[in-house]
């Protein structure tokens, strides 16, 4: 089983910045993709950004130009979501997700517990 731990959420004023971190353990899994989702109160969970094992990224239109997703160099079990120019509509719980593989489990989907992002003055 994979455990995903998110950190970096908090309260920020509109226009501010936050960086979220997700760490996946154990690190010997093969993490095909790592993604950030978010869920605002009363709304469905939505995809925000994805990074593949080789570093290809996709960013949803709603945050394009303001958010970026990245991984540390040569580290496969960690990723970041850099969020800038935050807006009130960016608030919600941000979840880390991975599609991870081992020979004895095959490919499975895993979710973190989420980290709260609040954007308010």
């Amino acid at each position: 089983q994979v455990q995903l731990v998110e950190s970096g959420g908090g309260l920020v004023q509109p226009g501010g910045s936050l960086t979220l971190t997700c760490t996946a353990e154990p690190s010997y899994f093969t993490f095909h993709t790592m993604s950030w989702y978010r869920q605002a109160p009363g709304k469905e969970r939505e995809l925000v950004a994805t990074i593949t094992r080789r570093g290809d990224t996709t960013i949803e239109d709603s945050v394009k130009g303001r958010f970026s997703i990245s991984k540390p160099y040569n580290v496969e079990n960690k990723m970041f979501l850099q969020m800038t120019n935050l807006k009130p509509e960016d608030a919600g719980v941000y979840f880390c997700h991975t599609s991870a593989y081992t020979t004895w489990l095959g490919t499975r989907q895993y979710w973190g517990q989420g980290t709260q992002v609040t954007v308010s003055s």
Side-chain angles (χ1 to χ4, degrees):
Q1 296 282 6
V2 171
Q3 289 197 337
L4 300 172
V5 178
E6 304 103 332
S7 62
L11 171 64
V12 64
Q13 293 186 343
S17 300
L18 281 176
T19 297
L20 306 183
T21 301
C22 174
T23 303
E25 295 290 353
S27 61
Y28 57 73
F29 275 70
T30 298
F31 302 100
H32 293 302
T33 62
M34 296 185 78
S35 301
W36 288 100
Y37 286 75
R38 67 184 181 188
Q39 187 167 20
K43 294 189 175 182
E44 293 188 355
R45 193 171 297 189
E46 63 175 359
L47 177 65
V48 176
T50 297
I51 188 164
T52 69
R53 185 168 179 237
R54 71 176 190 180
D56 297 326
T57 62
T58 57
I59 305 288
E60 295 305 300
D61 287 344
S62 59
V63 300
K64 196 168 289 185
R66 300 187 296 118
F67 290 15
S68 62
I69 188 170
S70 63
K71 294 192 296 185
Y73 179 71
N74 266 352
V75 176
E76 298 205 0
N77 68 323
K78 180 176 285 192
M79 69 166 173
F80 307 110
L81 184 69
Q82 292 96 8
M83 306 184 292
T84 64
N85 191 20
L86 282 159
K87 303 177 180 181
E89 53 263 40
D90 295 318
V93 180
Y94 282 69
F95 296 91
C96 179
H97 170 274
T98 187
S99 176
Y101 170 84
T102 59
T103 53
W104 58 93
L105 291 175
T107 299
R108 293 190 179 185
Q109 316 300 315
Y110 299 93
W111 291 93
Q113 294 295 308
T115 185
Q116 178 71 47
V117 172
T118 303
V119 185
S120 174
S121 54

